[in-house]
Amino acid sequence: MDIAIMGAGLSGLSCAITLEKYGIKPTIFEKRNCVGDRFVNGEATFSILNRPVKDELKYLKEKFDIPLVPTDTINKLFVYSQNSVGSIDGNIGYVNIRGRHKDSYECQLEKQVTSKIIFNSTYEYEQLCKDFEYVILAPGDGAYATKLGNYKCDLTCTIKGVTVTGQFFTDIAYAWFDYDVIPKGYAWLIPFSEEEANLVIAYPDYPSNIKLDINEMWETFYNKACSKLDQDLIVTDRFEITRYMMGICGKPFIDNTYFVGNCFGTISPGLGFGQFASILTGIYAANDLCGLGKYEKLVKPLFKNYNNSLVLRRFFENLSNDELDSFVNKLDNKLLDGLIDKTISNKSGVDLLKTLVPTMKLWNRHKDNE
């Protein structure tokens, strides 16, 4: 079976690893000069967003024999709103490294691949489609799916971030929601060592946001973050992504082409996470090719999760700063604190997002009718 994989990211490499386990060696085409050829940054996965799976890394290792080593387990998440701060405690997820770093998830996956990777590739999809029996589209965004008329974009977003040096605990992450500073968006700090972390803002590209000065927005948030963490964070690297599409494919498979990773639509519009779903799409496409299940059926839960996450995004956008303060306060409420921590822990199988979708839909409808 002659298979081309376009893109050596999380989904493309996971697909290759799975194919190899069943005796199929694909050819991988990567336009950059190495795996993880991008800025180094810290990212996270939270088990509450991947239900019914409780522990995504344990699941990948035990079910698919794909081991990944995180930077650390997240044992505390501080959440800041305009006037409040709360925390979620317990084993709630993982911190990991992405990009050009020997311990990044991409580099860990590359070490598990034996198939040929052609770097600095100039091959376009159209040529691969002619030269190979099957093509796995894993380029890292929805551009090719859009060209093929197979992508529904629900919003675009702007992301601006930096690498900072300071003093961090690798098992503690931070998130901010303040619409006076980042309208309809949010920010986070995720450490990838005890000395380095990523500080990032992200917001939807609505007309009211497009006219804002991103540099002023960033400077205001940066000063706020330094104040809250009580340290002067030193910027060592910067990155900015504009008009990044958040959407999903209409069809996961067309003719001889599988859409995986962000080309499928694995980034959650709710909070921007998607590493676990991206890896799953690569595995599922390989399973289909090996006769172990139909791709369209395997990814159905990912479609549902995406749609639920879109409801979550609209819900957040409909909250005011006062309402965000109220939610954040409840995180450390004496009556709710233990229940919230237990529900979000990776020991819980509760699909909180799915459970809350009906209530969030009612709230969104109410806000839209105001």
Side-chain angles (χ1 to χ4, degrees):
M1 194 180 296
D2 211 11
I3 299 172
I5 298 176
M6 188 176 189
L10 297 184
S11 58
L13 294 172
S14 298
C15 183
I17 292 167
T18 307
L19 288 171
E20 289 172 6
K21 292 183 190 301
Y22 295 95
I24 300 172
K25 283 207 170 186
T27 305
I28 306 167
F29 297 85
E30 170 55 53
K31 69 178 181 180
R32 297 184 174 92
N33 64 14
C34 70
V35 165
D37 183 19
R38 48 179 273 182
F39 45 84
V40 176
N41 66 305
E43 292 190 4
T45 56
F46 291 94
S47 59
I48 190 65
L49 301 175
N50 297 315
R51 298 289 191 256
V53 174
K54 295 180 181 181
D55 185 321
E56 56 271 20
L57 295 190
K58 182 179 179 181
Y59 182 80
L60 289 173
K61 184 176 181 179
E62 293 183 353
K63 188 172 180 63
F64 303 111
D65 192 27
I66 296 180
L68 288 169
V69 179
T71 304
D72 207 341
T73 299
I74 300 175
N75 290 313
K76 183 182 281 288
L77 172 66
F78 282 106
V79 182
Y80 293 91
S81 58
Q82 186 177 56
N83 300 301
S84 300
V85 58
S87 66
I88 302 170
D89 299 274
N91 191 329
I92 58 176
Y94 295 101
V95 177
N96 66 275
I97 302 176
R98 297 289 306 278
R100 189 191 286 265
H101 189 286
K102 64 181 180 63
D103 295 323
S104 72
Y105 274 0
E106 293 96 329
C107 290
Q108 290 186 46
L109 290 172
E110 181 188 20
K111 292 174 183 177
Q112 301 174 49
V113 171
T114 60
S115 298
K116 184 178 181 180
I117 303 177
I118 299 175
F119 293 108
N120 299 310
S121 171
T122 58
Y123 269 85
E124 294 292 341
Y125 163 71
E126 292 77 9
Q127 190 59 47
L128 294 178
C129 202
K130 295 175 183 177
D131 294 346
F132 289 83
E133 188 177 357
Y134 292 100
V135 177
I136 310 294
L137 267 181
D141 58 40
Y144 276 105
T146 300
K147 289 179 182 178
L148 295 171
N150 187 40
Y151 195 83
K152 177 177 72 73
C153 179
D154 288 298
L155 71 155
T156 66
C157 64
T158 291
I159 304 167
K160 182 179 178 69
V162 297
T163 298
V164 293
T165 58
Q167 295 181 335
F168 311 104
F169 293 99
T170 54
D171 66 338
I172 300 177
Y174 303 81
W176 285 264
F177 295 85
D178 184 343
Y179 291 167
D180 282 354
V181 179
I182 312 169
K184 307 301 182 185
Y186 56 99
W188 63 88
L189 183 143
I190 297 176
F192 53 91
S193 75
E194 293 180 350
E195 296 81 28
E196 290 185 292
N198 274 116
L199 188 65
V200 182
I201 63 173
Y203 57 89
D205 295 318
Y206 297 141
S208 57
N209 281 353
I210 291 174
K211 66 183 181 182
L212 298 176
D213 188 320
I214 187 173
N215 293 317
E216 289 183 7
M217 187 189 305
W218 167 258
E219 196 64 27
T220 301
F221 166 68
Y222 170 77
N223 290 329
K224 180 185 284 283
C226 288
S227 174
K228 294 298 182 184
L229 273 64
D230 193 25
Q231 55 180 308
D232 294 324
L233 302 172
I234 308 301
V235 176
T236 60
D237 195 12
R238 303 172 185 270
F239 64 90
E240 187 172 326
I241 302 170
T242 58
R243 306 292 194 277
Y244 190 86
M245 292 188 295
M246 307 281 278
I248 197 163
C249 280
K251 296 179 180 180
F253 174 75
I254 298 177
D255 295 333
N256 71 336
T257 300
Y258 293 81
F259 301 85
V260 303
N262 295 345
C263 192
F264 167 85
T266 53
I267 293 183
S268 154
L271 292 169
F273 298 97
Q275 295 183 91
F276 180 59
S278 183
I279 291 171
L280 286 182
T281 57
I283 294 170
Y284 291 161
N287 282 349
D288 187 319
L289 288 164
C290 295
L292 302 173
K294 291 295 183 182
Y295 188 51
E296 294 92 335
K297 184 176 181 180
L298 292 169
V299 298
K300 275 187 177 181
L302 300 182
F303 276 109
K304 292 178 181 178
N305 187 271
Y306 175 87
N307 289 326
N308 289 341
S309 180
L310 188 59
V311 174
L312 177 64
R313 161 108 312 262
R314 303 308 183 201
F315 175 77
F316 275 127
E317 290 177 357
N318 281 322
L319 293 175
S320 65
N321 270 332
D322 288 342
E323 289 160 342
L324 284 166
D325 284 339
S326 178
F327 275 106
V328 170
N329 273 328
K330 288 181 173 61
L331 294 178
D332 290 331
N333 179 282
K334 289 184 179 180
L335 295 176
L336 298 175
D337 188 12
L339 178 61
I340 292 171
D341 292 347
K342 185 177 180 180
T343 301
I344 295 179
S345 165
N346 68 1
K347 295 181 180 179
S348 169
V350 176
D351 191 340
L352 189 61
L353 180 58
K354 180 181 178 181
T355 302
L356 293 178
V357 160
T359 302
M360 290 191 293
K361 283 183 175 179
L362 286 174
W363 175 268
N364 292 342
R365 198 173 298 125
H366 166 69
K367 285 290 187 175
D368 290 343
N369 291 331
E370 282 187 344

